[in-house]
Amino acid sequence: MSFEWRNDFDWLAAAACRGAPPELFYDDPLPLDGEMNTAALSAARAVCALCPSRLECAEHAFHEEAQSALADRDGVRAGMTPAQRVSIERRGGLRGADPLSLIEGWDDAAGRRVPPVPDEG
């Protein structure tokens, strides 16, 4: 299944993060002095893992950040850190795969194992 960019945000109505504090996704999970806050990242990913809008969120992140440098990206989006989004983009994008599956090393869209996308990118 692949998703096409839509210029609407209807998918946000069902997003699991709707109403969650933004700092859950935009402050603590990010690397500080080169070290990832893994507890905060796990908390953000737990919300993303339950989200029915995860693929739309991921596609929106890739569209919004298209070709942006790592320094210009922020936050955990669809369970991905900024460095993971850069890494997945360099690998050719999502191509319909679930971002959390790619992080774990499984391309569900292609039905095969792939190299995992580490938290540090």
Side-chain angles (χ1 to χ4, degrees), residues 76-87:
V76 173
R77 298 175 74 177
M80 300 175 287
T81 64
Q84 287 172 327
R85 294 192 300 274
V86 168
S87 181

Side-chain angles (χ1 to χ4, degrees), residues 37-83:
N37 182 337
T38 55
L41 178 58
S42 292
R45 279 207 179 123
V47 174
C48 294
L50 299 174
C51 186
S53 300
R54 184 170 58 245
L55 294 178
E56 289 91 348
C57 176
E59 290 293 336
H60 182 261
F62 282 108
H63 178 79
E64 186 176 82
E65 297 174 340
Q67 306 302 315
S68 294
L70 178 57
D72 296 329
R73 300 173 189 226
D74 63 348
V76 173
R77 298 175 74 177
M80 300 175 287
T81 64

Side-chain angles (χ1 to χ4, degrees), residues 103-119:
I103 290 167
E104 294 298 320
W106 179 255
D107 183 340
D108 56 337
R112 63 183 172 91
R113 298 225 37 90
V114 294
V117 182
D119 287 335

Side-chain angles (χ1 to χ4, degrees), residues 1-47:
M1 172 191 285
S2 67
F3 287 86
E4 203 172 298
W5 169 251
R6 297 183 330 200
N7 199 18
D8 63 55
F9 297 92
D10 292 342
W11 54 271
L12 280 173
C17 63
R18 188 169 182 210
E23 58 271 10
L24 178 64
F25 303 94
Y26 286 96
D27 288 338
D28 292 340
L30 302 181
L32 300 174
D33 299 327
E35 190 169 319
M36 181 67 67
N37 182 337
T38 55
L41 178 58
S42 292
R45 279 207 179 123
V47 174

